[in-house]
Amino acid sequence: MDTFVQQLINGLNVGAIYALIALGYTMVYGILRLINFAHGDVYMVGAFAGYFIALSFGLAAGPSLLSLGIVLLGSMIVAAIVGMIIERFAYRPVRKYSRMTTLIMAIGVSLLIENLFVARIGAAPRAFPDFLGSQSQPPIHLFGNAAISKAQIIIFLVSIALMVLLQWVVFKTKVGTAMRAVSFNLNSAKLMGINTDAIISLTFAIGSSLAAAGGVLTAQYNPNIDPLMGILTGLKAFVAAVLGGIGNIPGAVLGGLLIGAAETFVVGYGSQIGIASTYRDAVAFAILILVLLLRPSGLLGSTVQEKV
Amino acid sequence: MPTFLKRILGLVVVVVLLIGMNAFMSRAGLFGFGLPYYYAEIINLTGISIILAVSLNLITGYTGQFSIGHAGFMAVGAYSSVFMTVYYSEGLEQWLTGLIGASVAQALVFLAVIIFGALVAAVAGLVVGIPSLRLRGDYLAIVTLGFAEIIRIIILNIDRVGGATGFRGRVPPWEGRLIIPPYGNFIWIGGFAVITIVVVYNIVNSDTGRALISIREDELAAEAMGINTTRHKVLAFVISSAFAGIAGALFGHFRQFLHTNDFQFIRSIEIIIMIVLGGMGSITGAVLGAIVITILPELLRKLPGDLYGYRLVIYSALLIVIMLTRPQGVMGAKELGLSWLKRAQRRPEGDKPVGEKGVPIAQQPATAGMDQGKEQGK
Amino acid sequence: MKRTLFALFLITTLLICFACERRGNETNGSGTGPILVGYYGDLSGRTSSFGQSTKNGAEMAADEINKAGGINGRMIQIITEDDQGEPNKAATVVTKLINQDKVAALLGEVASSNSLAAAPKAQEAKVPMISPSSTNPAVTQVGDYIFRVCFIDPFQGEVMAKFSANNLKAKRAAILYDFNSDYSRGLYEFFKRSFISQGGQIVSEKSYTQGDRDFSGQLTAIRAANPDVIYVPGYYGEVGVISNQTKQLGIKAPLLGGDGWDAPQLWQLGGASLNGNYISNHYSVDDPSPAIQKFVADYKARYNILPDALAALGYDSMKVLADAIKRAGSTENVKLRDAIAQTRDFPGVTGKITLDKDRNAVKPAVVLKLENSKFVYETTIAPEGSAPAGTSSAPASGGTSAGPAGAPAPPAKAASPTN
């Protein structure tokens, strides 16, 4: 039983990060019907931004919530700017072209970011400074063998806080209403006097900053950061967004947590039914295929009629 | 000269050229001269890339279905054909050699395993295609990517084909050939490149081809016109996977070594770049793209500085620039030397049909369609 | 249409005429100019830190030799090519080095899969190739021109199995390996075989892929199996984090590993959680011997970072090659091959290197304990005399020069239980 609880904790931990990234995917898709392939790389950029900020401010490892706060905020800002730049110079010019053009453009941007990083700072992993003391502080025991570390608790709390914040922004502010309007119908929103370009930029900014938060938080749990870390994680977060219902914000959170849990359970218990832990990555894709076949609108999404 | 005689003459010329080229590239050389082995390698690899690019073009360029899983089918074809060669072909080859001589026997065996590889890849294409092709562009891309990764992981888990070490020949304790025989030479690679081009060309210029293009342009309209879009999409997917399998089989027997690291996501992306660069609606474009992208890295090696390390940065920048400036690629939808009159009727001066951005319909980028102008609410 | 085809034909013919060369007189490496050595490795792909480290070691060695006057008056010149960690490219690159650059010898590759793809080219062209760190037994079986200066998987896996059974008195072992890495899988297989043959029990086998970020799923399952030790024969990038997550889950069993752990970043990633773990390695950066300390100091001064095991192996591979060239008196391939094959007790920083008849390096392994960001010497395990008599692990010690069991034909892999 304690193993089960442990795996659950592990799964939710992984899932919280997926959820943060999935939010960005779902928001951008809701507005532009575009899968932002480069989003996973923004997560990576966020992690590295945090790394370099910590380096340049001389923030040493060792438990310090203040350091974490600085690094988190800094990386979120940097990522927001990066997200807006990508939108403005890569996606906006091709918005009026066909879907395939934008898709290829997204792939191109993603590759560019990854390879630029690899070429400039090398593919070798770096160690992100640990501000939560996960390397030294003992875990908190729950019962039996199940343990949760302080780092995991904080990661959870911060993720939830950010998601609640997002929910508030989207549903309780004017800007949020504008965002929802744009996602409902771009042209009508324009007619209502909403500056759609600015709203789209803002959406990218918010989504990117959430991904960056995910990057910094995951680096607390696993200090190994490298330029290619965003590829697979980004894809899985995308699957999470689809699972929850793309375009649906609570759906993204639900999807993220579910995928995290599913992965962890397959890895932990899969060998008992013949699935080696090597199939971990396949879990997300398998879920994607099932969702798209059985319930394409996702768990919380609503079906959209395709108009001719 | 009657057409069929012209065709046979063409065939003979091609075969002679291939044999000559192959001799030129081999150790013995042609009349004492040979091509530096390095160049010969590049040419062979280019031939394989051509097969991959032209086949991907069929499903992505002409049918508008974005597939990033091509390397996966290449892997399936490669591994299945090499598996047959290493473990099950020795006996057959020896028996045939007794009957008809070594070189003919080898050629037959090789042809058989290539066909086997193509069939397995086609089946894989069927398995992947049927569920996925119902999905729209963006989702299809991710799903094909996922399938290619799953295929790779599965192969990595099969010890009999080398697992993480790579497949050089038989893996003890199973019995089989010690090393993969070097069947893949320019005759086969060049020959299949030509075959691929001819087959795809014929498909594209037939009724089926027109159906595929109509699916690309407007799937709903095509469906409304009575075209069974799912069936056509799956057909194109299966054919393109089969050719990817052929490319894989040729690759495996050329390199005499297989490892899943050669079939990663980046390989599929390279093929996409080839057809985007060349022009997604054009066979010539795919060929050009394949040649450029295969030769470019080798050229970059020669340049001073660290340009080779920046190779992937250059590719991605290239992709972005092309999408920003000329999304239809170098060739657009045109072919070399083919009359584009076939593609659209030309009206008298002053009355040209005009499409997007004032470009005449005949030269619309191949990426047109695919939900063009179908934003919600319209 | 016809015109374009003809034009293409003409262009191709002209290009071919320019590019052709005479057949029949291809030789590499003889002569009196600089000695051309080809180095190939992953310099810009996923595992580029390995390729880069090895290259650093080799280059430093070459510079030292050149500063001392070169070999018989000839300077060493390294020509580097990047294969991005892909076996296909490794083969292409080696073809280029052999045929275009006409190198006298090759250094590479780090990963066995890439070495296996490229070695046949070297063998066919009769150009000697020394791999600094490919550990799969199959690499040197390609032919008599292929050598290596590291020990092979069978030996290293066995070392740790012996250590845990004899020194740590462990009876239950769990294994967490990198399933995408031939090196990791090789060590896993041989450790398992050896551990079982000594009466131990493998209680859990889990895997991950390089690049994975979370191992808690696997570790929780391993924890439930209650092992005495956990063998993690992977690379430092993941191992550092695994060590961390192990401690966070409250697992007390020590972790064991191989030379893939050895890199300065390991400490940054794993921190204090690494204390109490053990690895098998070629050498120890903290070994007080003057030769090793000089190497470490020179490397640090030159590259601003401490050398890892790969850098040390790259260094040794170049030195072994240079020593062979000196003894052969020329770079003519047959003479050079024979000279390399006769390397005996060469004092490398990674130990005394002797190449056996399978062209593998016979040298002892050291077991090091991790303590406070240092590798502390624990014990040495030598190849001879470590194989318990009459066990089925005899083929596994095929890397030794002793014993008739070292037949070149399918050695250790033949008895591999994992089918």
Side-chain angles (χ1 to χ4, degrees):
Chain A
M1 182 55 190
D2 53 350
T3 306
F4 178 80
V5 170
Q6 184 69 68
Q7 297 287 34
L8 194 60
I9 296 176
N10 298 335
L12 292 179
N13 199 32
V14 170
I17 307 292
Y18 288 152
L20 282 175
I21 307 174
L23 284 169
Y25 272 117
T26 218
M27 290 202 305
V28 166
Y29 191 86
I31 293 202
L32 286 181
R33 300 285 179 272
L34 161 75
I35 301 182
N36 182 5
F37 258 99
H39 195 60
D41 300 294
V42 171
Y43 152 83
M44 179 271 291
V45 168
F48 271 94
Y51 173 76
F52 284 117
I53 290 176
L55 220 56
S56 44
F57 279 95
L59 298 168
S64 162
L65 278 182
L66 178 65
S67 296
L68 181 64
I70 297 175
V71 158
L72 198 57
L73 201 59
S75 74
M76 283 170 80
I77 294 176
V78 168
I81 296 176
V82 168
M84 289 198 285
I85 292 179
I86 295 176
E87 191 275 323
R88 175 70 188 79
F89 292 109
Y91 294 148
R92 196 179 295 180
V94 295
R95 224 187 274 161
K96 44 192 176 308
Y97 293 171
S98 70
R99 183 70 54 79
M100 200 183 277
T101 311
T102 30
L103 193 59
I104 298 175
M105 176 61 96
I107 295 179
V109 171
S110 167
L111 287 177
L112 184 67
I113 297 178
E114 284 159 24
N115 290 299
L116 213 51
F117 268 77
V118 170
R120 292 303 298 159
I121 65 179
R126 309 268 180 130
F128 198 95
D130 167 35
F131 297 125
L132 291 178
S134 49
Q135 282 180 9
S136 45
Q137 291 183 357
I140 302 173
H141 284 275
L142 296 177
F143 60 94
N145 258 337
I148 188 168
S149 67
K150 274 211 187 137
Q152 283 175 311
I153 296 180
I154 299 195
I155 291 174
F156 248 143
L157 291 177
V158 174
S159 308
I160 294 180
L162 286 172
M163 293 179 218
V164 167
L165 189 63
L166 179 71
Q167 202 59 355
W168 176 80
V169 164
V170 168
F171 284 99
K172 297 275 194 236
T173 63
K174 211 158 171 209
V175 162
T177 319
M179 283 168 63
R180 280 183 290 137
V182 169
S183 81
F184 199 67
N185 191 315
L186 190 93
N187 289 314
S188 306
K190 256 192 224 174
L191 289 174
M192 292 293 126
I194 297 177
N195 183 348
T196 47
D197 281 345
I199 295 293
I200 293 176
S201 286
L202 183 68
T203 313
F204 268 85
I206 297 181
S208 307
S209 62
L210 287 175
V216 169
L217 288 175
T218 194
Q220 291 303 299
Y221 183 61
N222 175 342
N224 178 343
I225 59 172
D226 73 278
L228 300 175
M229 66 192 260
I231 306 178
L232 211 49
T233 312
L235 278 175
K236 293 186 201 174
F238 170 72
V239 174
V242 170
L243 174 61
I246 195 132
N248 186 306
I249 290 179
V253 174
L254 182 62
L257 295 175
L258 283 176
I259 298 256
E263 256 186 26
T264 312
F265 278 111
V266 165
V267 161
Y269 293 109
S271 48
Q272 291 168 9
I273 51 172
I275 306 178
S277 45
T278 55
Y279 285 101
R280 176 200 201 110
D281 297 335
V283 171
F285 289 118
I287 293 181
L288 177 68
I289 293 164
L290 284 173
V291 167
L292 290 176
L293 283 181
L294 301 175
R295 195 184 154 87
S297 49
L299 292 172
L300 300 182
S302 46
T303 43
V304 171
Q305 304 288 20
E306 193 175 346
K307 294 219 186 121
V308 184
Chain B
M1 206 192 279
T3 326
F4 87 88
L5 217 54
K6 263 199 259 182
R7 290 216 178 125
I8 298 203
L9 189 61
L11 191 65
V12 168
V13 166
V14 166
V15 171
V16 165
L17 277 177
L18 286 176
I19 297 183
M21 215 22 213
N22 184 48
F24 190 47
M25 293 202 282
S26 69
R27 290 229 97 94
L30 196 62
F31 313 122
F33 285 93
L35 199 62
Y37 301 132
Y38 177 53
Y39 295 165
E41 268 221 11
I42 306 298
I43 293 181
N44 275 316
L45 289 173
T46 308
I48 293 176
S49 299
I50 290 179
I51 300 178
L52 288 167
V54 171
S55 57
L56 182 65
N57 204 10
L58 182 65
I59 184 69
T60 298
Y62 285 105
T63 321
Q65 305 303 304
F66 205 73
S67 160
I68 324 185
H70 222 50
F73 300 117
M74 185 184 174
V76 168
Y79 273 91
S80 52
S81 62
V82 171
F83 176 82
M84 285 308 271
T85 308
V86 166
Y87 290 115
Y88 290 114
S89 71
E90 211 163 9
L92 181 66
E93 190 179 326
Q94 279 159 2
W95 176 71
L96 279 174
T97 307
L99 283 182
I100 40 181
S103 36
V104 182
Q106 274 182 8
L108 280 179
V109 168
F110 192 33
L111 189 61
V113 300
I114 292 181
I115 293 179
F116 179 72
L119 284 175
V120 179
V123 167
L126 198 64
V127 168
V128 171
I130 289 186
S132 329
L133 286 167
R134 296 200 229 159
L135 307 171
R136 243 198 2 227
D138 336 33
Y139 293 126
L140 177 65
I142 306 263
V143 167
T144 46
L145 176 65
F147 268 118
E149 274 302 296
I150 294 179
I151 289 176
R152 213 175 60 84
I153 295 177
I154 293 179
I155 294 178
L156 207 50
N157 267 315
I158 305 178
D159 280 329
R160 198 164 173 188
V161 293
T165 310
F167 197 14
R168 254 196 88 221
R170 71 179 188 97
V171 175
W174 290 284
E175 288 300 319
R177 294 187 202 245
L178 212 54
I179 54 168
I180 303 174
Y183 288 159
N185 57 29
F186 188 67
I187 299 179
W188 290 97
I189 295 179
F192 270 104
V194 170
I195 292 177
T196 313
I197 294 177
V198 167
V199 167
V200 172
Y201 177 78
N202 281 328
I203 292 179
V204 164
N205 285 307
S206 69
D207 279 344
T208 315
R210 276 185 282 273
L212 295 177
I213 296 177
S214 75
I215 294 177
R216 175 188 81 199
E217 295 294 323
D218 191 328
E219 193 166 333
L220 277 176
E223 187 83 47
M225 293 304 282
I227 296 176
N228 185 340
T229 53
T230 312
R231 197 165 75 87
H232 278 89
K233 285 198 282 189
V234 171
L235 184 68
F237 202 72
V238 165
I239 294 177
S240 104
S241 316
F243 275 107
I246 293 179
L250 291 167
F251 176 75
H253 290 88
F254 168 68
R255 264 281 166 257
Q256 298 174 263
F257 180 73
L258 285 178
H259 193 281
T260 50
N261 277 352
D262 282 329
F263 300 106
Q264 290 176 86
F265 169 57
I266 189 64
R267 195 89 169 89
S268 296
I269 294 286
E270 273 180 9
I271 311 174
I272 298 265
I273 296 179
M274 289 176 202
I275 60 175
V276 167
L277 175 63
M280 283 202 280
S282 154
I283 296 180
T284 333
V287 171
L288 274 177
I291 296 176
V292 169
I293 297 293
T294 312
I295 299 191
L296 188 64
E298 306 304 321
L299 289 177
L300 286 178
R301 265 189 236 277
K302 293 200 191 297
L303 293 178
D306 199 17
L307 275 180
Y308 186 73
Y310 279 84
R311 184 189 82 149
L312 290 170
V313 177
I314 295 177
Y315 281 178
S316 23
L318 205 61
L319 214 49
I320 294 177
V321 164
I322 294 176
M323 284 299 117
L324 282 176
T325 55
R326 196 184 156 90
Q328 65 267 44
V330 167
M331 296 296 298
K334 296 193 286 206
E335 306 282 354
L336 198 63
L338 289 172
S339 166
W340 56 264
L341 281 172
K342 277 193 212 156
R343 306 189 118 253
Q345 295 301 322
R346 196 160 178 207
R347 298 200 197 138
E349 289 291 327
D351 197 13
K352 287 205 181 70
V354 164
E356 179 198 64
K357 292 175 34 166
V359 171
I361 298 261
Q363 280 149 40
Q364 283 235 318
T367 51
M370 266 198 84
D371 303 335
Q372 174 87 39
K374 274 222 288 289
E375 303 196 3
Q376 358 84 334
K378 271 235 172 90
Chain C
M1 175 71 161
K2 287 204 184 110
R3 265 180 309 171
T4 7
L5 279 182
F6 182 68
L8 277 172
F9 179 66
L10 209 58
I11 297 174
T12 333
T13 329
L14 283 170
L15 280 174
I16 291 179
C17 287
F18 276 118
C20 69
E21 65 182 10
R22 241 173 220 297
R23 278 282 189 267
N25 51 354
E26 299 119 21
T27 44
N28 281 47
S30 31
T32 50
I35 301 174
L36 299 172
V37 175
Y39 171 81
Y40 69 106
D42 182 0
L43 299 173
S44 57
R46 285 214 92 161
T47 51
S48 52
S49 52
F50 303 148
Q52 201 63 53
S53 268
T54 317
K55 173 169 168 266
N56 288 349
E59 279 181 348
M60 188 167 109
D63 277 349
E64 273 176 28
I65 297 171
N66 286 344
K67 280 209 183 71
I71 309 178
N72 301 333
R74 295 168 72 185
M75 295 294 147
I76 298 182
Q77 188 186 335
I78 301 183
I79 303 181
T80 312
E81 287 295 347
D82 177 10
D83 63 16
Q84 300 215 302
E86 287 174 41
N88 179 36
K89 299 206 165 70
T92 304
V93 156
V94 160
T95 310
K96 172 184 178 289
L97 285 169
I98 294 177
N99 295 125
Q100 299 290 107
D101 301 304
K102 304 253 186 282
V103 295
L106 289 160
L107 287 183
E109 220 246 21
V110 168
S112 301
S113 48
N114 299 331
S115 294
L116 280 172
K121 306 273 177 190
Q123 179 67 25
E124 199 188 7
K126 300 206 188 328
V127 172
M129 173 176 127
I130 302 183
S131 168
S133 57
S134 288
T135 52
N136 190 300
V139 171
T140 43
Q141 287 163 24
V142 169
D144 58 349
Y145 276 87
I146 315 295
F147 305 85
R148 71 177 112 216
V149 292
C150 53
F151 27 64
I152 55 180
D153 288 338
F155 176 57
Q156 211 187 158
E158 205 189 314
V159 163
M160 245 9 205
K162 287 206 171 67
F163 180 75
S164 31
N166 300 337
N167 299 49
L168 296 178
K169 308 280 184 262
K171 292 255 174 295
R172 304 161 61 88
I175 309 181
L176 180 60
Y177 67 100
D178 179 344
F179 111 113
N180 213 4
S181 150
D182 166 63
Y183 158 82
S184 188
R185 270 174 136 175
L187 285 182
Y188 146 62
E189 274 169 30
F190 290 108
F191 174 89
K192 177 174 170 182
R193 205 136 46 88
S194 184
F195 193 73
I196 291 179
S197 79
Q198 300 192 51
Q201 190 196 0
I202 306 288
V203 298
S204 178
E205 290 163 48
K206 291 280 181 195
S207 65
Y208 63 91
T209 315
Q210 190 182 22
D212 269 359
R213 301 195 57 75
D214 179 69
F215 311 93
S216 49
Q218 293 97 321
L219 289 172
T220 307
I222 287 179
R223 182 179 74 181
N226 206 14
D228 296 323
V229 293
I230 308 178
Y231 190 46
V232 189
Y235 293 110
Y236 63 92
E238 286 74 44
V239 167
V241 176
I242 289 175
S243 178
N244 227 339
Q245 293 184 356
T246 316
K247 291 294 175 286
Q248 285 180 11
L249 285 169
I251 297 179
K252 303 268 188 311
L255 301 180
L256 309 174
D259 59 337
W261 285 36
D262 184 356
Q265 289 98 319
L266 179 70
W267 308 110
Q268 293 166 9
L269 291 167
S273 70
L274 290 165
N275 292 347
N277 297 334
Y278 299 90
I279 60 163
S280 58
N281 204 350
H282 310 268
Y283 87 130
S284 163
V285 92
D286 300 309
D287 188 324
S289 112
I292 294 184
Q293 285 311 307
K294 177 170 187 309
F295 164 69
V296 172
D298 288 344
Y299 191 93
K300 177 111 201 284
R302 185 176 164 130
Y303 295 111
N304 216 7
I305 193 175
L306 285 175
D308 57 12
L310 288 170
L313 286 168
Y315 182 85
D316 273 350
S317 60
M318 175 58 93
K319 288 264 168 147
V320 163
L321 178 64
D323 173 69
I325 296 176
K326 201 186 216 123
R327 277 184 284 117
S330 90
T331 46
E332 190 258 323
N333 41 11
V334 178
K335 291 208 187 98
L336 184 54
R337 173 199 65 182
D338 291 337
I340 300 177
Q342 282 154 19
T343 305
R344 292 269 172 279
D345 287 331
F346 178 83
V349 292
T350 60
K352 269 200 172 19
I353 301 175
T354 299
L355 293 180
D356 66 8
K357 65 176 175 23
D358 295 318
R359 294 171 301 285
N360 298 324
V362 174
K363 49 180 172 169
V366 289
V367 176
L368 308 170
K369 185 170 183 188
L370 281 71
E371 237 165 60
N372 301 324
S373 304
K374 273 189 170 348
F375 290 110
V376 174
Y377 174 81
E378 180 82 7
T379 183
T380 307
I381 300 194
E384 291 93 348
S386 61
T391 63
S392 62
S393 65
S397 45
T400 76
S401 50
K413 268 282 199 223
S416 166
T418 58
N419 287 340

